[in-house]
Amino acid sequence: MSVPPVPAEPPPDAVVAQREPRIERPAGTRGPRGHVGSRPPTYDAEPTALPAADPDDLGDLVADTVLDGARYGTCTLRAVSVRGDSARYRGEPRRDSLLTARFGTGEQALLLVAMATGARATPGAHRAAAEACHWIGRAVGRSHARLVEDIRGGRRGDLKSGLHRLTDRSLGRLRAGAGERGVAPEEYAASLRCLLLPADPACRTRVFFGVGPGGLFRLREGQWQDIEPQVADVRGEAVLGFGSPPSQTPEGDRLTMDLGIPTPPSSYEPAPEPPREPFRFRTSVARPGDTLLMCSGGLADPLRGEPELGEYLAERWSLPEPPGLAAFLADSQVRVKGYADDRTAAAVWEA
């Protein structure tokens, strides 16, 4: 009688594979990436050269990266400022500055996130950015009780005019500092962007204000919305009472000849100042699940210019829980070829 063959023993690995269920990686949990786009950026991914240091002024040194976070009321805050690839390679200091501060206690507390960017290719740009953040922080801190009342009461007009004054005063001090240093105002200047977050869980109003370029975005239901306040530009020919005067009278008589030579200022009138950036302001009511992102131009530009970066961050930041500090840092510095400026970002997740 024939005996059936004994089946061969499967290898140990095969037994384990049969007994243990297969674990699928959930959708939307890809690991962090170093860059997006078709090619990696030219510069190294990690810092190369340190900025030059003055042994008698070590307090002027700026760290390559600053990272902060908090949780108050219904919102979780993550904030970071990272030196750009170009500055890392050239040994230049980070021109971006970041300030996170809480004024007051309990439900009366107010959170301020301020970020500033110093003028490009000017000495002391990092100092100007830091001073801009400190001046606006001092102004908001001294007025925080009134600001909390206005935010709770929905007094948008009072908020806009009050924050406009505080911003003008802060940047005015920066211009005065330029005069003391003997440089032109545009050489010791900074853009400034701020976010006010009440700690009261019953108040979901978020207030943005500032001057200069950058970005304000909202991630809602997995899609980015660009909610940067737009400033209307004045275009077209000059009209009577606005802009330049007409070159002739209604009867056709010529008044002057325009030779392209600027008229020197009168001894009775101050010389005109360079045009200032317009004030930007926006209030928004957060919904549960929203993520609000305020950032400097170093992150706003690639977000607008490289769709893959927006898709990647939307996937990473749409998870049920906000990222930790290390994960937020990794996400914020995903690189894009052609964009090498400092990046400063503050994101708020709404529970």
Side-chain angles (χ1 to χ4, degrees):
M1 185 177 68
S2 62
V3 179
V6 179
E9 287 289 331
D13 292 344
V15 175
V16 174
Q18 291 173 1
R19 292 176 182 175
E20 292 185 358
R22 183 180 178 185
I23 299 176
E24 297 277 357
R25 184 179 234 182
T29 58
R30 288 189 303 175
R33 297 171 61 182
H35 70 91
V36 297
S38 59
R39 291 183 297 168
T42 303
Y43 297 105
D44 292 337
E46 298 297 333
T48 303
L50 289 172
D54 181 351
D56 296 321
D57 193 12
L58 295 179
D60 190 48
L61 293 177
V62 182
D64 177 271
T65 301
V66 175
L67 186 63
D68 207 352
R71 178 175 293 176
Y72 284 92
T74 61
C75 66
T76 299
L77 170 68
R78 300 286 181 260
V80 66
S81 184
V82 182
R83 190 163 54 134
D85 288 349
S86 176
R88 283 175 163 181
Y89 177 77
R90 302 176 192 281
E92 298 171 351
R94 175 167 47 90
R95 291 187 298 119
D96 278 8
S97 184
L98 173 68
L99 172 70
T100 53
R102 171 180 60 86
F103 302 107
T105 59
E107 295 185 356
Q108 304 299 319
L110 181 67
L111 275 62
L112 166 69
V113 182
M115 57 184 66
T117 302
R120 189 185 298 275
T122 58
H126 60 291
R127 300 187 198 100
E131 285 192 15
C133 288
H134 291 161
W135 285 122
I136 195 64
R138 183 174 299 182
V140 168
R142 290 174 174 173
S143 306
H144 78 273
R146 174 65 184 273
L147 289 170
V148 169
E149 292 178 3
D150 287 343
I151 294 173
R152 281 175 167 173
R155 293 187 282 271
R156 188 178 184 277
D158 291 345
L159 278 170
K160 184 176 182 180
S161 60
L163 293 172
H164 196 169
R165 283 196 303 273
L166 296 183
T167 303
D168 278 351
R169 290 174 186 172
S170 299
L171 296 182
R173 290 181 177 272
L174 206 61
R175 289 189 291 271
E180 295 172 359
R181 295 171 182 269
V183 299
E186 61 270 18
E187 293 182 7
Y188 197 75
S191 62
L192 178 65
R193 308 177 71 78
C194 303
L195 197 60
L196 297 179
L197 308 169
D200 184 357
C203 181
R204 286 186 176 266
T205 302
R206 312 297 178 229
V207 180
F208 161 80
F209 66 97
V211 170
L216 184 68
F217 305 91
R218 179 169 55 206
L219 181 60
R220 177 172 286 176
E221 298 178 354
Q223 299 295 322
W224 285 110
Q225 302 170 355
D226 191 337
I227 58 173
E228 173 77 8
Q230 299 302 311
V231 178
D233 294 328
V234 178
R235 303 182 186 277
E237 298 295 331
V239 296
L240 191 62
F242 191 89
S244 302
S247 60
Q248 62 186 27
T249 67
E251 291 76 21
D253 297 328
R254 300 289 296 181
L255 297 178
T256 60
M257 292 183 63
D258 184 7
L259 300 178
I261 303 174
T263 304
S266 167
S267 57
Y268 299 99
E269 298 177 0
E273 292 186 0
R276 300 179 185 176
E277 289 277 357
F279 179 72
R280 299 175 186 267
F281 174 85
R282 183 182 183 114
T283 60
S284 62
V285 178
R287 296 181 187 175
D290 282 355
T291 301
L292 184 65
L293 173 66
M294 178 181 72
C295 54
S296 65
L299 182 58
D301 292 344
L303 265 177
R304 295 185 176 114
E306 176 51 70
E308 189 176 349
L309 179 61
E311 294 169 3
Y312 172 76
L313 292 181
E315 179 183 2
R316 295 281 295 172
W317 293 350
S318 294
L319 299 177
E321 292 294 325
L325 290 179
F328 181 70
L329 170 61
D331 292 340
S332 300
Q333 59 183 357
V334 171
R335 303 185 306 147
V336 183
K337 188 172 180 60
Y339 300 93
D341 283 343
D342 298 348
R343 288 186 181 183
T344 301
V348 181
W349 278 261
E350 300 291 343

